[in-house]
């Protein structure tokens, strides 16, 4: 999504848009690699305002996605929603210190632009990526797969736990050392 800087005033401007995943190469690559499947286009809502020496963009991005549960490997659909605020400054105003400086909260949500347009697409993709779970779970009570026979413990009960000793070194139970 491109925002024209000259159109931004000190009055809040609200923008809503819908963008396809194909418009965001990082998200498309994630889907092409099989990490997830996006089930809807990105739904975007922004409020944009010029403040002092920067432009503040507050936004919400939401999308439906299908993920594979990290415990039972079942596919499930969920909604992702990320709210964010970004402060854009002209690139000529960029501060580059000669020594280490502790960054404050404002610097962590800052970005720079050049010319007459601001491309918000990289930040949109970043916030979708932030919302993707590292270990997706279909439910918080998911029992996963049996480590011995591979049965889905959410739908069936296996007898492996009754027959095995459950110890990490059970393979060594019949091991004999000759002297």
């Amino acid at each position: 999504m491109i925002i024209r800087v000259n159109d931004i005033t000190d009055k809040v401007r609200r923008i809503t848009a819908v963008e396809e995943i194909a418009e965001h190469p990082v998200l498309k690559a994630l889907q092409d690699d099989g990490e997830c499947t996006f089930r809807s286009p990105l739904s975007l809502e922004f409020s944009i305002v010029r403040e002092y020496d920067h432009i503040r963009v507050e936004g919400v991005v939401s999308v439906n996605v299908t993920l594979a549960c990290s415990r039972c490997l079942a596919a499930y659909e969920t909604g992702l929603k990320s709210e964010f605020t970004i402060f854009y400054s002209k690139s000529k105003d960029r501060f580059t210190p000669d020594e280490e400086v502790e960054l404050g909260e404002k610097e962590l949500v800052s970005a720079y632009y050049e010319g007459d347009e601001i491309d918000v697409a990289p930040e949109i993709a970043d916030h979708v990526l932030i919302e993707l779970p590292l270990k997706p779970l279909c439910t918080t009570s998911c029992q996963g797969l049996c480590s011995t026979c591979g049965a889905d413990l959410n739908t069936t009960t296996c007898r492996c736990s009754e027959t095995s000793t459950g110890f990490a070194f059970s393979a060594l139970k019949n091991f004999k050392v000759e002297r």
Side-chain angles (χ1 to χ4, degrees), residues 1-173:
M1 168 177 264
I2 303 290
I3 301 170
R4 292 178 37 99
V5 175
N6 294 337
D7 295 343
I8 303 169
T9 65
D10 59 346
K11 292 185 180 180
V12 176
R13 181 176 170 208
R14 301 203 187 285
I15 298 173
T16 59
V18 174
E19 290 187 350
E20 294 298 322
I21 298 301
E23 297 178 36
H24 299 271
V26 173
L27 300 179
K28 184 169 178 357
L30 194 68
Q31 181 169 283
D32 292 345
D33 290 343
E35 295 291 324
C36 64
T37 304
F38 291 98
R39 293 290 179 198
S40 68
L42 297 173
S43 175
L44 310 168
E45 297 176 21
F46 292 103
S47 65
I48 305 164
V49 66
R50 184 180 300 272
E51 297 177 334
Y52 307 108
D53 63 341
H54 62 269
I55 295 170
R56 179 172 42 98
V57 176
E58 291 180 338
V60 177
V61 59
S62 55
V63 65
N64 291 331
V65 64
T66 299
L67 301 167
C69 179
S70 61
R71 289 185 187 162
C72 69
L73 305 178
Y76 72 98
E77 190 169 329
T78 188
L80 303 177
K81 183 177 181 179
S82 179
E83 297 180 16
F84 56 91
T85 301
I86 303 170
F87 298 97
Y88 287 95
S89 300
K90 268 286 223 202
S91 62
K92 69 177 183 176
D93 300 335
R94 186 181 291 188
F95 173 70
T96 52
D98 293 335
E99 56 189 62
E100 284 188 28
V101 175
E102 183 175 340
L103 297 176
E105 184 176 337
K106 185 178 175 189
E107 289 85 12
L108 294 175
V109 293
S110 295
Y112 300 97
Y113 69 93
E114 293 180 5
D116 297 334
E117 296 179 333
I118 298 174
D119 186 7
V120 188
E123 283 78 17
I124 292 170
D126 286 347
H127 283 279
V128 171
L129 291 175
I130 288 170
E131 290 301 316
L132 284 170
L134 292 175
K135 293 198 177 229
L137 293 177
C138 57
T139 63
T140 55
S141 61
C142 179
Q143 296 178 18
L145 302 176
C146 173
S147 60
T148 305
C149 69
D152 184 353
L153 299 176
N154 296 312
T155 58
T156 62
T157 54
C158 69
R159 299 184 186 260
C160 296
S161 59
E162 296 171 6
T163 59
S164 76
T165 57
F167 294 106
F169 297 103
S170 62
L172 300 175
K173 69 180 179 181

